[in-house]
Amino acid sequence: MQNIKSSLTDSWLGIDGTPINEVPKGIGGLKFLNDLEGFPIGGGEEDVSDIENMFEKLILPCTLEDLVLTRYFGRKYPTWLGTTCLCSLEYLTLRWCKSCVCLPTIGQLHNLKYLRIEGAIAVTKIGPEFLGCSMGKHRTIEETVAFSRLELLTFIDMPNWEEWSFVEDNDEAAATAEPVANEREANDAAAKPKIEAPVRRLQLLPCLKKLHLRNCPKLRAFLRQLGKVATSLKVLTIGEARCLKVVEDFPFLCDNLSIIGCNSLKRISNLPQLRDLCVARCPNLRCVKEFGSLQ
């Protein structure tokens, strides 16, 4: 394909679904390009390191609002995906990035409203790195917000995902005090007022309205904090999560809960504001209780 000249003023360019297997040269010179559909990179699996380097060097416009990454076969996401370089990003779709074992650190994309992760088959755990804010040993009194404007979160076709957590196990609580040399020092230490270490307060998913999970067969449980922190949650949909045993403690979930094809599910409880409940193909469900507003 001939080089694309910078004098062109196209606002839209569609490459997806065409015979073109490499991005045309000079595409970076399209200063008025608003919508690019398709970014073919060519090559085979044998070019994993080249692909990772190529994507790392990409410079995306800070005004970008919608990004879809499909069938990226690098083992790690480019670092710019979770930085302030994408400060205007509102819609993000990661589809069939099969080789990435960890999700990108995107919790600090403060304008992100829509996030869809599909076909992340190498991911076994989603941990605090997903949030983009450390909750480790170096604590502060500052409040940290992750996914501050996210309204819709979707996970689909993640067959090896087992664990979901927001914070790592805290080793500080298990630490023992330093030994005291003598009885006098022990009495002096006991007389001193105890000063508690300041703790970083985590505000998470404050605007989340809809959460969808489908075909995540190894996921054993929701993270315990989710129901308490997602104070705007209205709709929760769970499908084909065959290892999930309990759905409970969502005090703010109000509009709809749909659970389909969860063979191990035994209990649904403590959803005091929920108005609409739909359950199908959950043969081991034995306990449904604590619904104060069900209609």
Side-chain angles (χ1 to χ4, degrees), residues 45 48 51-52 69-77 93-104 117-124 156-161:
E45 291 298 336
V48 169
I51 294 304
E52 290 177 348
L69 186 58
T70 301
R71 299 190 185 279
Y72 167 72
F73 54 84
R75 297 188 184 96
K76 57 183 179 180
Y77 290 97
T93 300
L94 304 176
R95 183 180 292 131
W96 294 103
C97 301
K98 296 182 179 181
S99 299
C100 294
V101 297
C102 294
L103 295 180
I117 299 174
E118 179 179 353
I121 63 176
V123 172
T124 61
I156 296 178
D157 293 332
M158 297 178 61
N160 295 304
W161 179 25

Short mmCIF file of all heavy atoms in Angstrom, two decimals, residues 45 48 51-52 69-77 93-104 117-124 156-161:
data_model
loop_
_atom_site.label_atom_id
_atom_site.label_comp_id
_atom_site.label_asym_id
_atom_site.label_seq_id
_atom_site.Cartn_x
_atom_site.Cartn_y
_atom_site.Cartn_z
N GLU A 45 3.58 -15.69 15.88
CA GLU A 45 3.85 -15.84 17.33
C GLU A 45 5.33 -15.77 17.63
O GLU A 45 5.77 -15.40 18.70
CB GLU A 45 3.25 -17.14 17.84
CG GLU A 45 1.75 -17.21 17.88
CD GLU A 45 1.15 -16.18 18.81
OE1 GLU A 45 1.82 -15.71 19.75
OE2 GLU A 45 0.00 -15.83 18.58
N VAL A 48 6.93 -12.39 19.21
CA VAL A 48 6.36 -11.84 20.44
C VAL A 48 7.16 -10.65 20.95
O VAL A 48 6.61 -9.59 21.26
CB VAL A 48 6.26 -12.93 21.53
CG1 VAL A 48 5.93 -12.30 22.88
CG2 VAL A 48 5.20 -13.95 21.16
N ILE A 51 6.73 -7.60 18.82
CA ILE A 51 5.42 -6.98 18.99
C ILE A 51 5.37 -6.17 20.27
O ILE A 51 4.84 -5.05 20.32
CB ILE A 51 4.32 -8.04 18.97
CG1 ILE A 51 4.23 -8.69 17.59
CG2 ILE A 51 2.98 -7.45 19.37
CD1 ILE A 51 4.01 -7.71 16.46
N GLU A 52 5.91 -6.73 21.35
CA GLU A 52 5.93 -6.00 22.62
C GLU A 52 6.70 -4.69 22.48
O GLU A 52 6.27 -3.64 22.98
CB GLU A 52 6.55 -6.87 23.71
CG GLU A 52 5.68 -8.04 24.12
CD GLU A 52 6.34 -8.92 25.15
OE1 GLU A 52 7.56 -8.76 25.39
OE2 GLU A 52 5.66 -9.78 25.73
N LEU A 69 -8.26 -3.27 21.97
CA LEU A 69 -7.06 -4.05 21.71
C LEU A 69 -7.48 -5.50 21.53
O LEU A 69 -7.94 -6.14 22.48
CB LEU A 69 -6.07 -3.90 22.86
CG LEU A 69 -4.68 -4.54 22.70
CD1 LEU A 69 -3.98 -3.99 21.47
CD2 LEU A 69 -3.84 -4.29 23.94
N THR A 70 -7.32 -6.04 20.31
CA THR A 70 -7.82 -7.37 19.98
C THR A 70 -6.69 -8.28 19.51
O THR A 70 -5.88 -7.89 18.66
CB THR A 70 -8.88 -7.26 18.86
OG1 THR A 70 -9.95 -6.43 19.31
CG2 THR A 70 -9.45 -8.63 18.52
N ARG A 71 -6.64 -9.48 20.09
CA ARG A 71 -5.70 -10.53 19.69
C ARG A 71 -4.24 -10.07 19.73
O ARG A 71 -3.43 -10.45 18.90
CB ARG A 71 -6.06 -11.08 18.31
CG ARG A 71 -7.45 -11.68 18.27
CD ARG A 71 -7.73 -12.44 16.99
NE ARG A 71 -9.11 -12.90 16.96
CZ ARG A 71 -9.55 -13.99 17.59
NH1 ARG A 71 -8.71 -14.72 18.29
NH2 ARG A 71 -10.82 -14.34 17.52
N TYR A 72 -3.94 -9.25 20.69
CA TYR A 72 -2.55 -8.88 20.97
C TYR A 72 -1.87 -10.09 21.59
O TYR A 72 -2.35 -10.65 22.57
CB TYR A 72 -2.53 -7.68 21.92
CG TYR A 72 -1.19 -7.36 22.53
CD1 TYR A 72 -0.17 -6.81 21.76
CD2 TYR A 72 -0.95 -7.59 23.88
CE1 TYR A 72 1.05 -6.49 22.32
CE2 TYR A 72 0.27 -7.28 24.45
CZ TYR A 72 1.26 -6.73 23.67
OH TYR A 72 2.48 -6.42 24.24
N PHE A 73 -0.74 -10.53 21.01
CA PHE A 73 -0.14 -11.77 21.50
C PHE A 73 1.16 -11.55 22.27
O PHE A 73 1.94 -12.48 22.45
CB PHE A 73 0.08 -12.76 20.35
CG PHE A 73 0.86 -12.26 19.18
CD1 PHE A 73 2.25 -12.29 19.19
CD2 PHE A 73 0.22 -11.78 18.06
CE1 PHE A 73 2.98 -11.86 18.11
CE2 PHE A 73 0.94 -11.34 16.96
CZ PHE A 73 2.32 -11.37 16.99
N GLY A 74 1.39 -10.33 22.73
CA GLY A 74 2.50 -10.11 23.64
C GLY A 74 2.20 -10.73 25.00
O GLY A 74 1.06 -11.00 25.35
N ARG A 75 3.25 -10.94 25.78
CA ARG A 75 3.08 -11.55 27.11
C ARG A 75 2.77 -10.52 28.18
O ARG A 75 2.36 -10.88 29.29
CB ARG A 75 4.35 -12.32 27.48
CG ARG A 75 4.65 -13.49 26.55
CD ARG A 75 5.80 -14.33 27.10
NE ARG A 75 6.16 -15.38 26.18
CZ ARG A 75 7.15 -15.29 25.29
NH1 ARG A 75 7.86 -14.17 25.22
NH2 ARG A 75 7.43 -16.29 24.48
N LYS A 76 2.99 -9.26 27.88
CA LYS A 76 2.67 -8.20 28.82
C LYS A 76 2.13 -7.01 28.06
O LYS A 76 2.49 -6.76 26.90
CB LYS A 76 3.90 -7.79 29.63
CG LYS A 76 5.07 -7.34 28.77
CD LYS A 76 6.28 -7.02 29.64
CE LYS A 76 7.46 -6.59 28.76
NZ LYS A 76 8.65 -6.27 29.57
N TYR A 77 1.23 -6.28 28.70
CA TYR A 77 0.64 -5.11 28.07
C TYR A 77 1.64 -3.97 28.04
O TYR A 77 2.52 -3.87 28.92
CB TYR A 77 -0.61 -4.67 28.83
CG TYR A 77 -1.77 -5.62 28.69
CD1 TYR A 77 -2.04 -6.57 29.67
CD2 TYR A 77 -2.61 -5.56 27.58
CE1 TYR A 77 -3.12 -7.45 29.54
CE2 TYR A 77 -3.69 -6.42 27.45
CZ TYR A 77 -3.93 -7.37 28.43
OH TYR A 77 -4.99 -8.22 28.30
N THR A 93 -11.59 -1.79 25.67
CA THR A 93 -11.91 -3.20 25.45
C THR A 93 -10.62 -3.97 25.20
O THR A 93 -9.85 -3.62 24.31
CB THR A 93 -12.85 -3.38 24.25
OG1 THR A 93 -14.07 -2.67 24.48
CG2 THR A 93 -13.17 -4.85 24.03
N LEU A 94 -10.38 -5.00 25.99
CA LEU A 94 -9.23 -5.90 25.81
C LEU A 94 -9.80 -7.26 25.43
O LEU A 94 -10.41 -7.93 26.27
CB LEU A 94 -8.41 -5.98 27.09
CG LEU A 94 -7.90 -4.65 27.65
CD1 LEU A 94 -7.20 -4.86 28.97
CD2 LEU A 94 -6.98 -3.96 26.65
N ARG A 95 -9.61 -7.66 24.19
CA ARG A 95 -10.29 -8.84 23.67
C ARG A 95 -9.28 -9.87 23.16
O ARG A 95 -8.49 -9.61 22.27
CB ARG A 95 -11.25 -8.43 22.55
CG ARG A 95 -12.07 -9.56 21.97
CD ARG A 95 -12.99 -9.04 20.88
NE ARG A 95 -14.03 -8.17 21.41
CZ ARG A 95 -14.32 -6.98 20.91
NH1 ARG A 95 -13.65 -6.51 19.87
NH2 ARG A 95 -15.30 -6.26 21.44
N TRP A 96 -9.29 -11.05 23.78
CA TRP A 96 -8.49 -12.20 23.36
C TRP A 96 -6.99 -11.87 23.28
O TRP A 96 -6.32 -12.17 22.30
CB TRP A 96 -9.00 -12.75 22.02
CG TRP A 96 -10.36 -13.32 22.18
CD1 TRP A 96 -11.54 -12.75 21.81
CD2 TRP A 96 -10.69 -14.56 22.82
NE1 TRP A 96 -12.60 -13.56 22.17
CE2 TRP A 96 -12.10 -14.67 22.80
CE3 TRP A 96 -9.96 -15.58 23.41
CZ2 TRP A 96 -12.78 -15.77 23.35
CZ3 TRP A 96 -10.62 -16.68 23.96
CH2 TRP A 96 -12.01 -16.75 23.92
N CYS A 97 -6.52 -11.27 24.36
CA CYS A 97 -5.08 -11.09 24.55
C CYS A 97 -4.60 -12.31 25.34
O CYS A 97 -4.44 -12.27 26.56
CB CYS A 97 -4.79 -9.79 25.28
SG CYS A 97 -5.43 -8.32 24.42
N LYS A 98 -4.39 -13.41 24.63
CA LYS A 98 -4.30 -14.73 25.23
C LYS A 98 -3.02 -14.98 26.04
O LYS A 98 -3.01 -15.87 26.89
CB LYS A 98 -4.41 -15.80 24.14
CG LYS A 98 -5.73 -15.82 23.42
CD LYS A 98 -5.76 -16.95 22.39
CE LYS A 98 -7.09 -17.01 21.67
NZ LYS A 98 -7.14 -18.11 20.68
N SER A 99 -1.96 -14.25 25.77
CA SER A 99 -0.68 -14.56 26.40
C SER A 99 -0.36 -13.72 27.62
O SER A 99 0.60 -14.01 28.34
CB SER A 99 0.45 -14.40 25.36
OG SER A 99 0.26 -15.28 24.27
N CYS A 100 -1.13 -12.69 27.89
CA CYS A 100 -0.87 -11.81 29.04
C CYS A 100 -1.38 -12.47 30.32
O CYS A 100 -2.58 -12.72 30.45
CB CYS A 100 -1.55 -10.46 28.84
SG CYS A 100 -0.87 -9.49 27.47
N VAL A 101 -0.48 -12.73 31.26
CA VAL A 101 -0.87 -13.41 32.49
C VAL A 101 -1.42 -12.45 33.54
O VAL A 101 -2.05 -12.88 34.51
CB VAL A 101 0.32 -14.21 33.08
CG1 VAL A 101 0.76 -15.30 32.12
CG2 VAL A 101 1.50 -13.27 33.38
N CYS A 102 -1.16 -11.16 33.37
CA CYS A 102 -1.68 -10.15 34.30
C CYS A 102 -2.44 -9.08 33.52
O CYS A 102 -2.06 -8.74 32.40
CB CYS A 102 -0.54 -9.49 35.08
SG CYS A 102 0.35 -10.59 36.19
N LEU A 103 -3.47 -8.55 34.14
CA LEU A 103 -4.18 -7.45 33.52
C LEU A 103 -3.37 -6.16 33.70
O LEU A 103 -2.58 -6.04 34.64
CB LEU A 103 -5.57 -7.29 34.15
CG LEU A 103 -6.53 -8.46 33.91
CD1 LEU A 103 -7.87 -8.18 34.58
CD2 LEU A 103 -6.73 -8.73 32.43
N PRO A 104 -3.58 -5.20 32.84
CA PRO A 104 -2.83 -3.95 32.97
C PRO A 104 -3.26 -3.15 34.19
O PRO A 104 -4.37 -3.31 34.71
CB PRO A 104 -3.16 -3.21 31.67
CG PRO A 104 -4.50 -3.73 31.26
CD PRO A 104 -4.50 -5.18 31.68
N ILE A 117 -13.27 -6.89 29.43
CA ILE A 117 -12.12 -7.79 29.31
C ILE A 117 -12.66 -9.15 28.89
O ILE A 117 -13.45 -9.77 29.60
CB ILE A 117 -11.36 -7.89 30.63
CG1 ILE A 117 -10.81 -6.51 31.02
CG2 ILE A 117 -10.23 -8.90 30.52
CD1 ILE A 117 -10.17 -6.45 32.37
N GLU A 118 -12.22 -9.60 27.74
CA GLU A 118 -12.78 -10.81 27.13
C GLU A 118 -11.66 -11.72 26.64
O GLU A 118 -10.72 -11.28 25.98
CB GLU A 118 -13.68 -10.43 25.97
CG GLU A 118 -14.31 -11.60 25.24
CD GLU A 118 -15.22 -11.17 24.10
OE1 GLU A 118 -15.46 -9.95 23.97
OE2 GLU A 118 -15.68 -12.05 23.35
N GLY A 119 -11.76 -13.02 26.99
CA GLY A 119 -10.81 -13.99 26.46
C GLY A 119 -9.41 -13.89 27.03
O GLY A 119 -8.45 -14.28 26.37
N ALA A 120 -9.28 -13.40 28.26
CA ALA A 120 -7.96 -13.33 28.91
C ALA A 120 -7.66 -14.70 29.53
O ALA A 120 -7.71 -14.87 30.74
CB ALA A 120 -7.94 -12.23 29.96
N ILE A 121 -7.34 -15.66 28.69
CA ILE A 121 -7.29 -17.06 29.12
C ILE A 121 -6.05 -17.37 29.96
O ILE A 121 -6.02 -18.40 30.65
CB ILE A 121 -7.36 -18.01 27.91
CG1 ILE A 121 -6.14 -17.83 27.00
CG2 ILE A 121 -8.65 -17.80 27.14
CD1 ILE A 121 -6.10 -18.81 25.86
N ALA A 122 -5.03 -16.53 29.95
CA ALA A 122 -3.82 -16.79 30.74
C ALA A 122 -3.91 -16.22 32.15
O ALA A 122 -3.08 -16.54 33.00
CB ALA A 122 -2.59 -16.23 30.03
N VAL A 123 -4.91 -15.41 32.41
CA VAL A 123 -5.04 -14.77 33.73
C VAL A 123 -5.63 -15.75 34.73
O VAL A 123 -6.69 -16.34 34.51
CB VAL A 123 -5.93 -13.52 33.63
CG1 VAL A 123 -6.24 -12.96 35.02
CG2 VAL A 123 -5.26 -12.45 32.78
N THR A 124 -4.94 -15.95 35.86
CA THR A 124 -5.44 -16.80 36.94
C THR A 124 -5.82 -15.99 38.18
O THR A 124 -6.59 -16.46 39.01
CB THR A 124 -4.38 -17.84 37.35
OG1 THR A 124 -3.20 -17.17 37.81
CG2 THR A 124 -4.03 -18.73 36.17
N ILE A 156 -15.54 -11.63 30.48
CA ILE A 156 -16.13 -12.70 29.69
C ILE A 156 -15.05 -13.67 29.23
O ILE A 156 -13.95 -13.25 28.84
CB ILE A 156 -16.87 -12.14 28.45
CG1 ILE A 156 -18.06 -11.27 28.87
CG2 ILE A 156 -17.38 -13.26 27.55
CD1 ILE A 156 -18.79 -10.65 27.70
N ASP A 157 -15.37 -14.97 29.28
CA ASP A 157 -14.48 -16.01 28.75
C ASP A 157 -13.08 -15.95 29.35
O ASP A 157 -12.08 -15.75 28.67
CB ASP A 157 -14.39 -15.91 27.22
CG ASP A 157 -15.71 -16.24 26.54
OD1 ASP A 157 -16.49 -17.01 27.10
OD2 ASP A 157 -15.95 -15.70 25.44
N MET A 158 -13.03 -16.14 30.67
CA MET A 158 -11.76 -16.21 31.38
C MET A 158 -11.69 -17.56 32.09
O MET A 158 -11.96 -17.65 33.29
CB MET A 158 -11.62 -15.03 32.34
CG MET A 158 -11.59 -13.69 31.61
SD MET A 158 -11.49 -12.25 32.69
CE MET A 158 -9.95 -12.52 33.55
N PRO A 159 -11.36 -18.62 31.37
CA PRO A 159 -11.51 -19.99 31.88
C PRO A 159 -10.56 -20.37 33.00
O PRO A 159 -10.81 -21.35 33.70
CB PRO A 159 -11.26 -20.85 30.64
CG PRO A 159 -10.40 -20.01 29.76
CD PRO A 159 -10.87 -18.60 29.97
N ASN A 160 -9.48 -19.62 33.21
CA ASN A 160 -8.50 -19.98 34.25
C ASN A 160 -8.45 -19.00 35.41
O ASN A 160 -7.63 -19.15 36.31
CB ASN A 160 -7.11 -20.10 33.61
CG ASN A 160 -7.03 -21.23 32.62
OD1 ASN A 160 -7.32 -22.37 32.94
ND2 ASN A 160 -6.67 -20.93 31.38
N TRP A 161 -9.34 -18.02 35.41
CA TRP A 161 -9.38 -17.03 36.49
C TRP A 161 -9.94 -17.67 37.75
O TRP A 161 -11.07 -18.17 37.77
CB TRP A 161 -10.24 -15.86 36.05
CG TRP A 161 -10.39 -14.76 37.05
CD1 TRP A 161 -9.55 -14.44 38.06
CD2 TRP A 161 -11.47 -13.82 37.12
NE1 TRP A 161 -10.03 -13.37 38.76
CE2 TRP A 161 -11.20 -12.97 38.21
CE3 TRP A 161 -12.63 -13.63 36.36
CZ2 TRP A 161 -12.07 -11.94 38.57
CZ3 TRP A 161 -13.47 -12.60 36.72
CH2 TRP A 161 -13.19 -11.77 37.80
#
